Amino acid sequence: MNEYVNWSYNDLKNEKLFLSHCWDNLKESLNQLAFSNYKTYADASRTSQECTTTITQLDDFLRSSSSEINHIINSVKEFSEKSKEIYRNFDTLKKLHSPESVGRQLISLPKMMDDCVREGQYESAYMLTKLGLDLTRNRLTEKPIVKAVAETLMESRHKLLDELFNKFAFSIDLATSIKVISSIKQIPFVTTVQMKVSLLQYRDLYLDKLLANIIEDQDFYMKMIDVFRDCIHDTIVLYISVFPDRVVSRKNENVKWEQWNKGSQTFLLHSWALHNIDRMFENLNNIERNKSLIDIEAIYMKLVSCASSFARIGLDFRNTVSNKFNQIMLKYTFYNIDICTVKLTSATKLNIVGNDENFENATKPLIENEFLAFHLNNLKTKWSLYRWDDGTVYTNEIVAIFNDMRHFLLPSNLNSIIIVLKNSFRQIFEWLDNFIGEEYRNNEPLAGVMFVKEVIPYIEMCLQKIFPYDSINNLYNGEVDKNEYETFLTLFDKECLKNCKNAEYFERIYYDENNKNEVENENEV
């Protein structure tokens, strides 16, 4: 206070103003400070509340995720262990990659097995399969890699067997076949019967391949017989060599196969051979439908030669050849007779040449020829037949069929041939019946008259030439009456006319002709 004693009024007044101004500033500062502190307090309060909420949520989250954290910890530990295992496996693979590694050599065994089979080193291939079996028996397959190799090697036995047996599906020499069978015998669980059956099955495959190669050849039937003969013969020799069923006591003993009985060890081979002989005849079935030119006699001689060659080694099927070929020839004959019948009956009109001057001029040189006239008189033919071209063609084709088959037709076939001819005549009579009307019945020569008077007697005469009475009588020890023989060879009967409306007309022509012939024969006598 002493310092203000000496101040003047103005100084005091100024000091008052200054202090008043400072007071105002102080109050303003206090107001600002109070506002700022309140805002800070409010912010701090809100922050504290939010922190409390966050900490509460975090605490709840930690409590709820404690089990998952344990799972994560365990997963991390498991990952660490697997990483170590992967590292160890990688280290093992690195060691296996080395050329000197036993494991690498073990892994290469399946490929080595395939190479041995492919290159024909069957002994080595069998040793590898045996190694796989030994690995399994010695309980060395605990390791997956060893187990996989062992299983692959053991499964390769089937591939080895297929490869060995497949050798017989191709042309194979005797030495190689013995070597192959020796390799097969070393494989366990393969019995002798299984080996025999499999060998014959693969030989069938070889035979099928040979047949497929010649199926389109023009001389298929001749080549087919050669294929069957060669394949069956080679298989018999091969089979007997690798599966001998007898012991030769003396060194130079000449063993002949007189016959194969069903109780012998070659029964399977015998059955296989007969089966393929049946297959050979199956290929000859429907030979009559083959449109190409076929030498039937050459095929028969080839079959006889084939049967004779097999008869010398105990497989005698000559009777089978005779019976089967006889059936084939009958089918051939019947089929061609049916073809002739269909060809004739397919005509829609009868082309008969009129009995005019042109026909007489055309036939006059033939009639005046002594040789032809004598020959035709012996055949008991009449010139009227030559006016009907279709009928003449039919007759000539039937005769040609008989000529082709004359060396193969047996007396036992006569009944079947007569039945087929009668069936052919029945169809022709039904066809001719359609052309006969009231206005034609008295007009000669008609096709029906020609067929009854000319065609049927001529074919009957041909049958008598092929199957003469003396041969039939001798076959039955002289017990065949000639009248019965002639009656049996009569091709005209009522069965041929059962479907004809004009059956009486045909019968009248036939019986009138017969009565006329009987009168002529009596006059000659």
Side-chain angles (χ1 to χ4, degrees):
M1 290 296 292
N2 292 327
E3 61 180 292
Y4 298 116
V5 174
N6 295 321
W7 284 13
S8 64
Y9 174 77
N10 290 328
D11 292 334
L12 291 173
K13 187 178 180 180
N14 290 332
E15 184 68 19
K16 179 183 178 183
L17 291 174
F18 173 74
L19 290 174
S20 177
H21 180 71
C22 288
W23 175 248
D24 291 335
N25 290 336
L26 178 61
K27 286 194 297 182
E28 185 178 357
S29 298
L30 288 174
N31 290 332
Q32 291 179 356
L33 179 62
F35 178 77
S36 297
N37 288 339
Y38 177 77
K39 183 179 180 182
T40 301
Y41 172 77
D43 291 340
S45 178
R46 285 194 302 272
T47 302
S48 176
Q49 186 177 0
E50 290 178 0
C51 288
T52 301
T53 303
T54 302
I55 291 172
T56 302
Q57 292 176 351
L58 181 60
D59 183 64
D60 294 339
F61 174 75
L62 291 175
R63 290 178 184 277
S64 62
S65 60
S66 59
S67 59
E68 296 180 0
I69 292 174
N70 292 331
H71 177 69
I72 293 173
I73 293 172
N74 294 332
S75 298
V76 171
K77 291 180 179 179
E78 184 179 356
F79 175 76
S80 177
E81 292 175 357
K82 288 187 176 180
S83 297
K84 293 178 181 179
E85 183 180 358
I86 291 172
Y87 176 77
R88 289 194 298 269
N89 292 337
F90 178 77
D91 187 58
T92 302
L93 290 174
K94 188 176 180 181
K95 293 178 181 179
L96 288 175
H97 187 68
S98 174
E100 295 80 12
S101 172
V102 177
R104 184 174 183 179
Q105 295 177 3
L106 182 66
I107 294 173
S108 64
L109 290 181
K111 183 178 182 301
M112 187 184 300
M113 176 73 180
D114 294 337
D115 294 339
C116 291
V117 173
R118 190 183 307 109
E119 296 176 5
Q121 299 178 5
Y122 304 120
E123 295 289 341
S124 301
Y126 170 70
M127 295 302 296
L128 288 174
T129 61
K130 189 176 180 182
L131 173 62
L133 186 62
D134 292 339
L135 290 175
T136 303
R137 289 176 177 175
N138 295 328
R139 299 181 180 179
L140 297 176
T141 55
E142 295 179 356
K143 296 291 184 180
I145 187 171
V146 179
K147 183 179 179 180
V149 171
E151 290 178 351
T152 303
L153 292 177
M154 293 177 64
E155 290 175 358
S156 297
R157 287 185 301 176
H158 303 290
K159 183 178 180 181
L160 175 60
L161 272 176
D162 290 339
E163 186 68 25
L164 289 171
F165 279 120
N166 195 49
K167 294 292 182 181
F168 296 105
F170 299 90
S171 179
I172 184 172
D173 57 71
L174 188 58
T176 304
S177 64
I178 294 175
K179 179 182 176 182
V180 171
I181 290 296
S182 299
S183 300
I184 295 174
K185 288 180 178 179
Q186 295 180 5
I187 300 177
F189 312 116
V190 181
T191 64
T192 303
V193 175
Q194 289 175 332
M195 281 191 287
K196 292 179 179 180
V197 172
S198 298
L199 184 148
L200 296 176
Q201 288 176 342
Y202 277 87
R203 293 303 289 175
D204 277 336
L205 293 177
Y206 174 57
L207 181 57
D208 292 338
K209 292 177 184 177
L210 295 178
L211 292 176
N213 292 334
I214 63 171
I215 192 68
E216 300 295 336
D217 287 6
Q218 186 175 1
D219 298 332
F220 168 74
Y221 295 106
M222 300 293 287
K223 292 182 179 180
M224 179 268 298
I225 296 172
D226 289 334
V227 166
F228 272 97
R229 181 193 61 197
D230 296 340
C231 185
I232 294 174
H233 181 271
D234 293 344
T235 303
I236 290 174
V237 174
L238 185 152
Y239 186 98
I240 296 297
S241 300
V242 297
F243 302 115
D245 64 339
R246 65 179 70 188
V247 178
V248 180
S249 58
R250 292 191 296 271
K251 183 176 181 180
N252 296 324
E253 182 178 358
N254 185 16
V255 179
K256 292 184 178 180
W257 300 325
E258 299 296 339
Q259 63 180 2
W260 292 347
N261 57 68
K262 294 186 178 180
S264 68
Q265 295 182 19
T266 56
F267 173 66
L268 285 175
L269 177 62
H270 185 261
S271 301
W272 176 86
L274 291 180
H275 166 70
N276 280 289
I277 290 170
D278 290 337
R279 286 182 60 197
M280 179 173 64
F281 284 105
E282 287 176 3
N283 282 281
L284 289 173
N285 287 339
N286 299 324
I287 190 175
E288 70 278 1
R289 300 179 184 275
N290 195 305
K291 296 182 179 180
S292 60
L293 187 62
I294 299 174
D295 191 344
I296 298 295
E297 189 169 353
I299 293 176
Y300 178 73
M301 296 306 297
K302 176 76 74 172
L303 285 172
V304 171
S305 175
C306 177
S308 299
S309 63
F310 281 108
R312 290 191 289 270
I313 61 173
L315 185 63
D316 191 354
F317 60 94
R318 286 174 290 186
N319 290 335
T320 303
V321 170
S322 177
N323 295 333
K324 293 282 188 180
F325 200 80
N326 184 39
Q327 296 174 8
I328 292 172
M329 290 302 97
L330 281 178
K331 289 177 62 179
Y332 185 87
T333 303
F334 299 162
Y335 177 79
N336 284 285
I337 291 176
D338 289 339
I339 292 295
C340 296
T341 305
V342 171
K343 188 185 299 184
L344 176 62
T345 56
S346 61
T348 57
K349 62 180 181 178
L350 299 174
N351 297 316
I352 300 177
V353 179
N355 191 9
D356 53 13
E357 184 178 353
N358 292 330
F359 177 77
E360 293 179 357
N361 293 333
T363 57
K364 185 176 181 180
L366 298 177
I367 297 174
E368 293 176 351
N369 188 302
E370 295 181 1
F371 174 77
L372 290 177
F374 176 77
H375 178 67
L376 293 173
N377 288 332
N378 287 337
L379 294 179
K380 300 180 180 179
T381 57
K382 297 182 180 180
W383 291 107
S384 60
L385 177 61
Y386 298 101
R387 297 169 58 190
W388 183 27
D389 288 342
D390 293 337
T392 304
V393 170
Y394 170 81
T395 307
N396 288 335
E397 288 180 346
I398 295 294
V399 173
I401 293 170
F402 288 152
N403 284 333
D404 292 339
M405 299 294 105
R406 64 186 181 278
H407 298 303
F408 308 107
L409 295 177
L410 303 175
S412 58
N413 306 141
L414 182 56
N415 186 50
S416 299
I417 293 173
I418 290 176
I419 292 174
V420 173
L421 286 173
K422 286 183 177 181
N423 181 61
S424 174
F425 294 166
R426 178 184 58 78
Q427 297 179 53
I428 294 173
F429 276 121
E430 292 174 3
W431 172 70
L432 291 173
D433 189 58
N434 296 325
F435 295 98
I436 297 178
E438 293 293 337
E439 66 276 14
Y440 295 121
R441 291 193 178 183
N442 297 321
N443 295 333
E444 292 190 15
L446 295 172
V449 176
M450 296 178 186
F451 189 76
V452 173
K453 291 184 176 182
E454 304 294 333
V455 176
I456 294 179
Y458 182 69
I459 294 177
E460 288 177 350
M461 183 270 299
C462 291
L463 286 179
Q464 293 176 4
K465 294 289 184 181
I466 298 173
F467 303 102
Y469 169 74
D470 293 337
S471 299
I472 301 296
N473 192 36
N474 293 334
L475 181 65
Y476 292 96
N477 299 321
E479 297 179 358
V480 179
D481 184 71
K482 190 166 185 179
N483 291 330
E484 293 179 355
Y485 165 78
E486 292 177 352
T487 302
F488 184 74
L489 289 182
T490 300
L491 300 179
F492 183 90
D493 58 17
K494 292 185 178 181
E495 286 296 319
C496 297
L497 306 173
K498 64 180 181 179
N499 296 326
C500 295
K501 298 178 182 178
N502 301 285
E504 295 180 358
Y505 171 67
F506 291 114
E507 289 181 7
R508 186 175 70 251
I509 296 173
Y510 177 77
Y511 291 118
D512 289 346
E513 182 68 16
N514 276 358
N515 294 333
K516 181 180 178 181
N517 291 335
E518 289 177 0
V519 171
E520 291 178 355
N521 292 334
E522 290 177 358
N523 293 333
E524 290 178 0
V525 173

